[in-house]
Amino acid sequence: MQARSEEELVEELKREHPELLHDAIVHRSKRVSVIAKRERVLELARILRDQYGFTQPVSAGAVDYIKEGRMQMIYYLMNPETRFMLMLRVDLPRDDPRMPSMTEIWEAMNFHEREAWEMFGINFEGHPNLTHLLLPPDWRGGYPLRKDFRGEGITP
Amino acid sequence: MDVVTLIWLYILGLVRWLLHEAPLQVINFIRSLPTLIPELLKWLWDFIWFNFKPLAQIIVIPGLAFILLFAMIAVWFERKFLARAMLRIGPYYCGKRSGWLQVIADFLKLFFKEFVIPDDAEKVLFLAAPVLLPTIPALAITLIPFDSNWVLFDAGGLSLPVFLAIAGLAPVIPIFTGWAANNKYTIIGSFRTAYLYISGEIPLVICAAATALLAGSLDLVDIVEAQKPIWFAIPQFIGFLIFFVGLILEAERTPFDVPTAETELVMGWRTEFSGVLFGFTMMAEYLSFLGWTLLFIVLYLGGYLGPSLFGVPLYDHIFWMLLKLAVIVVIIVLIRTVYPRLRLDQTLRLGWNYLMPLSLLNLLMTIILKWGLII
Amino acid sequence: MTEPEIKPEVMRISWGPQHPMSGQTRILIDVDGEVVRRIIADIGFTHRGIEKILENRTFIQGIVPIERMVMADTANIALGYVQAVEEALGIEVPERAKWIRSLICEMGRINSHLYAFGLQVECTGYFPAVFLWTTVDREVLLDLFEKLTGARWSYSFFIPGGVRADLPEGFRDEVRRAVEYLRRRFQDYWDAMVENPLFEMRNRGVGVLSREDAIRLGATGPVLRGSGVDMDVRKDEPYAAYGDLDFKVITEREGDCFARLKVRFHEIEQSLNIMEQIADEIPGGPVRTKVPLFPRSKPGVEALSRVETARGELGVHIFTDGGLKPYRVKINSPTLRNMYVFERLAELNRVLVADLPVILYSIDPWYLDCDR
Amino acid sequence: MAERLTAPIYGVLDYLLTWARKFSIWPVHFVTGCCSPEFMQVSGSRFDMERLGVLPFASVRQCDCLMVVGVISRKMGERVKYLYEQMGEPKFVVSVGACPTGRGPFYDSYATVAIDDLVPVDVYIPGCPPRPEAIIHGLMLLQEKIRRECGFRAGKE
């Protein structure tokens, strides 16, 4: 059942699966974002892909809010028919950033999760090949994109 | 009388000769010098004047100078022609505004460059390849007749099979070089060479047999003489086309330069050669191209036959041979600018599915044409 | 990157960064004879840490590093960043500036597609003819860029609030002349490439990507449209002046290298039409709104701008914390998505060693965009 | 005495050798960063670098000039070192663009490396990306350097 407008999609999500998600917001036309709970994020992702038609994975990345002590992992997804873009967000505590990997649902997230792992240190359980993607294999300089990264040459 | 005593006797005799006769002979030699030198010169002059023809053959026409000069000019022409196809100028400053010295500069630089032998490569085989590669086509070219009696190596009436035998040796070298260089690209390149030559060699041999059949003799000179009434390209048009395609395949020119495909295998089986080794392999590629083109001209385009321009028949024949060579080289370089490279399986399919049956058909037609037999 | 184990009968070849056809990346292929069993794209050789650098640059300074992500198509990348900054800081852009932006983006797209043609042709060994023709035609566009912005490649012409300078007079009929010249030239390309039987033999039926796989694996740009999915950000979320320009989204059904090539061809024709429309109907008016040199952002604002670059859909997501510099800039690069599709193609259909460069450059990867 | 005797012979061979090396510089087909379109334009039709005899070659064994075109990341730095070691002896390095010389616009990034701590460099070409005329000027400077330094007596002075 394809919802016509963004508001209906958000209302439906809140009504159907309140226990899976914290919040669902409409940013602007054709752009919705959903903040999911860390433990139940796999089920919500499967529902989004199968029932709501968000089958095209666009990208994934993380943001490090050092002041609030949390990291937010964002999955950008696209519905090819209605051209809606959905940002599935998951909040992770900074001290143990662990998260189930999305590669079983959207296979193309493989590269993006590897990059988030090497840049932020988020550990994705169940990822087939969690190795360095962009940094050299023998990189020991910590996680570059974290706010408290003291690599050489960086003057925040 | 065992061996040791024999040796001792020999040494004693030597010592006696040194003490007694040696000074006498030296003095006689010095006294006879004033008469000896003019004699020597005369002998040398007679030697050159008497066998002027073989010397000219060895050095000039089908020999060394012609081969090296062709390699130089072909490389220069190809780079300029390709540059023109790319709407640019090509080598320009190297030889006073025309770049004709460019190839000499390249080869001289390669000559003085350090060549690197990979440490766990088979040194003997690795160094043997650049030596063998140019010699085999050069050896084959000596059989080509530039005139009815202007053949360097007279194979006694069997020059066509001898040429094919020698030219058939050429693919063996890339195969063992690829393995010897101990590099993954060269191994794949050498396998591809093996596939390519097998599929390309057999149609050529069958077409050559067809022309020999039509001419009635296995000697290249007789084949050319038999083409006096009409060139063999017209009665054997299928063979003509097959041989042309086979020529490009044997010389590894662009539609079929699968073994040294720059874009997949870095340089194919030539990846590990550097410096003077690479210089020889590059020259060898042009020599095999020259060899097969000359055979193609002799078999199908009437060798040295052509209307006489200068008085002396020898000069006419050589002129016509070089003119036809130039035309074929231009066409093949033109093909290189127009067509992309084929995949290995497409080339093999062409070789086995199309060239092979067509060449057999051509052989059948020649038999019918020659003897009119209805089998 | 830890090396996965190798099966005995398979030979692992590494097309290192130094390989005529590998560009700036390393491709590990498991080869069994001539058939490629598995492709592993070892990217990251040109990772310059642009996302970390942008956190250390003010909003306007950030244009310089992000433009160097895709040098052939700087216009679209810079537009993505500048639009995100305008959305984050709430800056208005005058109408004429939008039209100029669309004009330059289309010229950049043609420039980048020429690059794609050149490499896809070169990797079939068709080196002399078409590959160097593309440099000749690119000079025409580079002269136009140079006349307008002063630089050939990274011209930093888009700034938050509009465009740095107005079109010099006489520029519009130069655009018309260039469009007419390029139309003639692309007829030559069509004859030299699409009508060439050997070139078609090398490209047809190679690297087939079906419609479902294209969506499932997250392909984008000409790769996606080559498989029959008509997704184009210029139509879905019109930005700059694309709302009131009429052009078609090109799709092909087969999804093989030849289809992707034809998609790029027709896209260039559409871009030429757009350039002509802009040259005829560009409105007058100011070119830039007044923006302070160091604009300060409101805390906690997010802005995601999506732009259709020549290689696919680029997303720039800016998070601000009220300072002079962006808190975090997330770049969704199109080539990273296409490289994953390239890795999976080995399992989707039978790939030979000679086909690999053809497939790789039908996807038109730009490794600097992939590694950021 | 030996020096005076060999001087004229050295002079002729020197001239010949440096002339040959000057006019056939074969850069290896290797671009490391974002100046690669400019390198293609230089080998293209308008600014044709083959006029000077510079022909990009595929395999590193046959090349004697490593043109480092564009930014060098940390991972790419090792490959530049491997390539430099694999080349035959009279080898030159041309650093094209601001990034290899001083890390250019990515001066404060954790992932970029300057070329000076990787390989000895002969010619630096500034610009980001450098104009094609600048690259050709750099190649002519390299030819000048070869003419002066790269003859037989290179090691003597």
Side-chain angles (χ1 to χ4, degrees):
Chain A
M1 32 138 191
Q2 298 300 354
R4 261 73 42 217
S5 77
E6 300 79 10
E7 288 72 19
E8 282 159 20
L9 180 68
V10 167
E11 262 58 35
E12 231 174 287
L13 274 175
K14 282 190 183 143
R15 221 177 32 261
E16 301 288 327
H17 320 281
E19 74 292 351
L20 293 181
L21 48 90
H22 287 300
D23 190 1
I25 318 149
V26 175
H27 292 288
R28 43 180 272 209
S29 79
K30 293 191 180 176
R31 194 162 299 165
V32 173
S33 87
V34 170
I35 302 167
K37 293 197 174 81
R38 179 163 69 153
E39 304 71 26
R40 313 278 301 269
V41 75
L42 272 181
E43 298 159 49
L44 179 65
R46 214 174 294 285
I47 292 164
L48 282 175
R49 185 187 62 165
D50 301 342
Q51 292 163 17
Y52 291 89
F54 288 97
T55 54
Q56 185 178 28
V58 172
S59 168
V63 187
D64 173 15
Y65 296 102
I66 195 164
K67 294 191 195 61
E68 297 133 18
R70 67 180 171 88
M71 260 191 229
Q72 190 176 57
M73 183 70 187
I74 307 172
Y75 288 88
Y76 304 84
L77 307 160
M78 173 76 79
N79 183 339
E81 284 72 28
T82 61
R83 299 291 153 76
F84 282 3
M85 170 165 258
L86 183 128
M87 286 180 265
L88 178 64
R89 297 166 185 250
V90 180
D91 286 331
L92 312 167
R94 258 181 75 74
D95 31 29
D96 76 333
R98 267 181 314 93
M99 199 189 136
S101 160
M102 293 286 176
T103 38
E104 308 97 28
I105 303 159
W106 292 291
E107 193 190 343
M109 289 300 180
N110 182 326
F111 275 5
H112 305 282
E113 285 182 351
R114 276 170 66 186
E115 190 197 342
W117 166 74
E118 73 182 347
M119 291 296 173
F120 287 90
I122 303 171
N123 194 351
F124 293 93
E125 293 117 0
H127 190 283
N129 169 21
L130 204 56
T131 53
H132 276 295
L133 179 73
L134 301 177
L135 294 171
D138 50 2
W139 170 264
R140 280 174 312 288
Y143 302 111
L145 276 180
R146 282 193 178 184
K147 283 299 175 186
D148 51 10
F149 171 70
R150 282 296 162 271
E152 75 254 344
I154 286 293
T155 54
Chain B
M1 185 88 69
D2 56 1
V3 176
V4 174
T5 50
L6 267 177
I7 292 169
W8 270 114
L9 280 176
Y10 178 75
I11 290 171
L12 284 176
L14 197 65
V15 167
R16 188 185 307 110
W17 179 76
L18 261 175
L19 291 179
H20 298 298
E21 282 88 5
L24 276 176
Q25 286 181 354
V26 166
I27 294 158
N28 291 345
F29 173 71
I30 293 165
R31 195 175 296 119
S32 73
L33 263 185
T35 62
L36 194 62
I37 292 176
E39 226 170 76
L40 258 178
L41 284 180
K42 188 175 169 315
W43 174 79
L44 194 62
W45 175 252
D46 289 350
F47 172 78
I48 289 175
W49 180 251
F50 174 67
N51 36 35
F52 171 79
K53 187 160 149 248
L55 278 180
Q57 283 173 346
I58 289 170
I59 293 171
V60 180
I61 276 302
L64 195 59
F66 169 66
I67 287 177
L68 290 183
L69 214 59
F70 171 81
M72 296 285 178
I73 293 171
V75 171
W76 173 77
F77 172 74
E78 182 154 12
R79 276 176 72 168
K80 278 295 232 191
F81 192 86
L82 289 187
R84 273 293 180 272
M86 305 180 195
L87 308 172
R88 60 189 175 89
I89 300 168
Y92 184 75
Y93 289 111
C94 188
K96 284 295 166 286
R97 299 295 174 276
S98 71
W100 59 279
L101 282 175
Q102 177 65 48
V103 182
I104 297 166
D106 283 352
F107 197 75
L108 204 58
K109 178 209 80 171
L110 278 178
F111 203 76
F112 287 102
K113 198 157 163 38
E114 169 212 3
F115 57 89
V116 175
I117 299 176
D119 50 6
D120 45 14
E122 299 290 327
K123 285 190 185 35
V124 172
L125 290 181
F126 189 73
L127 291 178
V131 173
L132 284 176
L133 272 173
T135 49
I136 287 179
L139 206 60
I141 289 170
T142 54
L143 290 155
I144 302 285
F146 276 70
D147 194 353
S148 53
N149 50 22
W150 193 271
V151 183
L152 186 54
F153 171 48
D154 181 8
L158 289 173
S159 56
L160 179 60
V162 169
F163 184 99
L164 291 176
I166 295 174
L169 265 176
V172 172
I173 299 157
I175 294 168
F176 68 70
T177 344
W179 172 73
N182 187 21
N183 172 340
K184 289 191 176 105
Y185 296 134
T186 50
I187 287 175
I188 294 190
S190 60
F191 288 154
R192 286 184 172 189
T193 323
Y195 298 144
L196 207 69
Y197 274 111
I198 295 169
S199 78
E201 200 89 4
I202 297 169
L204 288 191
V205 171
I206 295 172
C207 288
T211 48
L213 192 68
L214 198 59
S217 130
L218 281 176
D219 191 47
L220 288 176
V221 177
D222 299 347
I223 290 176
V224 171
E225 294 306 330
Q227 291 182 26
K228 265 203 168 56
I230 187 166
W231 287 357
F232 276 169
I234 291 113
Q236 296 218 342
F237 193 68
I238 304 176
F240 171 72
L241 292 182
I242 294 169
F243 208 96
F244 188 71
V245 171
L247 159 68
I248 302 177
L249 206 129
E250 280 301 309
E252 288 176 22
R253 298 299 300 176
T254 275
F256 310 111
D257 66 345
V258 180
T260 59
E262 281 93 22
T263 52
E264 304 123 34
L265 320 163
V266 180
M267 282 291 269
W269 52 269
R270 289 205 294 258
T271 320
E272 285 298 337
F273 290 127
S274 64
V276 75
L277 306 180
F278 177 72
F280 280 118
T281 44
M282 204 162 87
M283 192 176 75
E285 186 205 337
Y286 282 94
L287 290 192
S288 77
F289 173 40
L290 172 66
W292 285 104
T293 327
L294 286 176
L295 184 67
F296 175 68
I297 292 169
V298 163
L299 289 182
Y300 287 97
L301 295 179
Y304 45 81
L305 299 174
S308 78
L309 304 168
F310 321 103
V312 184
L314 175 65
Y315 298 154
D316 295 344
H317 294 171
I318 291 176
F319 168 76
W320 276 110
M321 196 68 164
L322 296 183
L323 185 70
K324 291 172 189 165
L325 178 68
V327 166
I328 300 290
V329 164
V330 165
I331 293 170
I332 289 182
V333 170
L334 183 71
I335 286 178
R336 173 182 178 151
T337 65
V338 180
Y339 283 111
R341 179 183 304 123
L342 281 182
R343 259 200 331 238
L344 179 68
D345 53 340
Q346 288 163 348
T347 326
L348 295 182
R349 191 173 304 124
L350 170 83
W352 290 108
N353 294 2
Y354 300 104
L355 290 189
M356 193 71 74
L358 274 176
S359 57
L360 291 176
L361 178 72
N362 174 38
L363 191 62
L364 189 67
M365 271 174 51
T366 328
I367 291 169
I368 293 167
L369 193 73
K370 179 115 172 97
W371 289 306
L373 285 179
I374 310 301
I375 300 157
Chain C
M1 184 197 71
T2 52
E3 302 277 336
E5 87 312 327
I6 307 171
K7 289 187 286 303
E9 83 283 354
V10 161
M11 179 161 75
R12 159 76 45 92
I13 297 184
S14 145
W15 279 9
Q18 192 280 315
H19 184 278
M21 257 304 102
S22 78
Q24 295 105 341
T25 184
R26 184 165 81 116
I27 296 170
L28 295 158
I29 36 176
D30 289 358
V31 172
D32 177 5
E34 281 289 324
V35 181
V36 175
R37 287 278 178 266
R38 187 155 167 248
I39 301 175
I40 302 163
D42 173 11
I43 53 179
F45 278 91
T46 54
H47 173 59
R48 301 152 289 187
I50 286 187
E51 289 169 355
K52 188 70 182 178
I53 286 176
L54 288 177
E55 288 165 12
N56 192 18
R57 297 281 197 282
T58 66
F59 286 106
I60 292 182
Q61 281 175 343
I63 293 174
V64 171
I66 204 162
E67 252 187 348
R68 270 126 183 99
M69 248 177 54
V70 181
M71 197 55 108
D73 188 11
T74 40
N76 292 309
I77 307 286
L79 185 63
Y81 176 75
V82 163
Q83 275 183 336
V85 166
E86 278 155 6
E87 200 178 325
L89 306 180
I91 301 170
E92 271 311 307
V93 179
E95 196 55 28
R96 183 175 172 84
K98 285 187 177 165
W99 283 70
I100 294 178
R101 283 182 174 177
S102 294
L103 171 70
I104 296 173
C105 281
E106 288 315 310
M107 281 157 62
R109 190 184 313 280
I110 296 175
N111 194 340
S112 170
H113 278 328
L114 275 175
Y115 200 80
F117 283 155
L119 288 178
Q120 182 164 5
V121 154
E122 188 202 1
C123 63
T124 56
Y126 195 8
F127 178 76
V130 180
F131 174 57
L132 263 296
W133 291 351
T134 56
T135 55
V136 173
D137 299 335
R138 201 176 299 123
E139 288 294 338
V140 170
L141 288 168
L142 294 181
D143 287 349
L144 285 182
F145 286 137
E146 204 172 337
K147 212 181 297 293
L148 183 64
T149 65
R152 290 161 58 94
W153 295 99
S154 57
Y155 21 81
S156 313
F157 193 62
F158 303 145
I159 47 171
V163 177
R164 223 154 16 101
D166 201 344
L167 298 180
E169 27 77 35
F171 186 77
R172 281 156 58 175
D173 40 20
E174 263 161 34
V175 166
R176 286 192 199 93
R177 262 208 314 276
V179 164
E180 181 259 325
Y181 165 77
L182 284 176
R183 277 218 177 91
R184 257 200 344 252
R185 286 297 292 169
F186 280 109
Q187 188 50 38
D188 295 351
Y189 283 112
W190 184 267
D191 301 342
M193 290 163 72
V194 181
E195 312 277 329
N196 187 327
L198 284 182
F199 191 74
E200 191 173 346
M201 257 164 77
R202 276 300 297 274
N203 276 302
R204 184 170 290 286
V206 171
V208 179
L209 187 66
S210 68
R211 187 184 151 84
E212 299 71 28
D213 288 342
I215 293 175
R216 176 175 60 84
L217 295 176
T220 178
V223 181
L224 189 62
R225 290 193 284 275
S227 306
V229 181
D230 62 346
M231 286 180 72
D232 187 332
V233 181
R234 292 177 297 177
K235 279 289 193 214
D236 306 343
E237 285 184 18
Y239 55 94
Y242 289 110
D244 34 20
L245 288 168
D246 63 344
F247 57 96
K248 291 202 313 299
V249 177
I250 315 287
T251 57
E252 295 279 339
R253 278 182 325 287
E254 303 87 9
D256 55 6
C257 296
F258 207 56
R260 294 189 269 269
L261 183 82
K262 280 190 281 193
V263 162
R264 288 200 187 93
F265 245 105
H266 297 307
E267 264 178 19
I268 284 187
E269 275 150 28
Q270 296 299 323
S271 301
L272 289 173
N273 299 344
I274 292 174
M275 278 167 71
E276 248 172 2
Q277 283 172 38
I278 294 175
D280 301 342
E281 305 145 7
I282 189 163
V287 165
R288 200 153 51 121
T289 59
K290 202 70 196 87
V291 169
L293 198 53
F294 296 99
R296 177 171 290 281
S297 60
K298 289 179 286 306
V301 169
E302 277 178 37
L304 169 66
S305 91
R306 293 168 56 211
V307 162
E308 181 67 32
T309 67
R311 280 163 187 73
E313 176 206 328
L314 168 86
V316 180
H317 199 169
I318 292 187
F319 302 80
T320 57
D321 65 346
L324 288 175
K325 301 174 182 169
Y327 183 73
R328 162 89 165 96
V329 178
K330 168 81 183 79
I331 303 168
N332 304 341
S333 105
T335 320
L336 191 63
R337 298 166 64 180
N338 286 340
M339 279 311 279
Y340 187 76
V341 170
F342 173 65
E343 256 203 11
R344 292 283 79 72
L345 271 180
E347 288 115 18
L348 292 179
N349 43 36
R350 188 171 179 275
V351 176
L352 295 177
V353 170
D355 289 339
L356 212 56
V358 178
I359 298 171
L360 180 63
Y361 279 97
S362 75
I363 283 170
D364 185 13
W366 191 272
Y367 303 106
L368 295 110
D369 163 32
C370 178
D371 309 339
R372 288 181 298 280
Chain D
M1 221 278 275
E3 191 54 48
R4 204 158 27 70
L5 261 182
T6 55
I9 300 166
Y10 263 130
V12 169
L13 283 180
D14 244 7
Y15 176 81
L16 209 60
L17 186 59
T18 49
W19 169 80
R21 283 193 178 143
K22 177 175 102 148
F23 270 121
S24 91
I25 303 170
W26 289 355
V28 73
H29 206 293
F30 172 65
V31 281
T32 56
C34 31
C35 294
S36 52
E38 207 58 271
F39 186 65
M40 238 178 89
Q41 292 301 109
V42 166
S43 61
S45 308
R46 189 172 175 185
F47 313 93
D48 178 10
M49 68 180 178
E50 214 207 331
R51 288 176 290 137
L52 306 168
V54 179
L55 182 71
F57 241 76
S59 157
V60 79
R61 286 273 189 265
Q62 292 105 21
C63 299
D64 47 20
C65 163
L66 175 65
M67 287 187 82
V68 182
V69 187
V71 64
I72 308 167
S73 75
R74 204 178 288 278
K75 211 171 173 180
M76 186 69 98
E78 299 148 26
R79 297 306 195 272
V80 172
K81 244 189 292 213
Y82 294 161
L83 273 179
Y84 186 72
E85 279 139 20
Q86 282 176 7
M87 281 166 36
E89 189 26 57
K91 46 194 174 186
F92 321 104
V93 176
V94 177
S95 133
V96 180
C99 300
T101 31
R103 303 192 332 179
F106 314 102
Y107 59 93
D108 63 348
S109 156
Y110 55 89
T112 53
V113 173
I115 193 166
D116 284 332
D117 41 17
L118 292 176
V119 283
V121 178
D122 291 300
V123 176
Y124 296 92
I125 300 175
C128 181
R131 283 192 62 83
E133 295 90 347
I135 295 180
I136 289 187
H137 179 60
L139 286 174
M140 288 161 75
L141 284 181
L142 180 64
Q143 286 185 340
E144 250 324 291
K145 180 167 180 164
I146 291 172
R147 170 49 69 84
R148 269 199 326 275
E149 283 175 7
C150 210
F152 270 105
R153 290 179 288 192
K156 304 262 175 322
E157 280 96 25

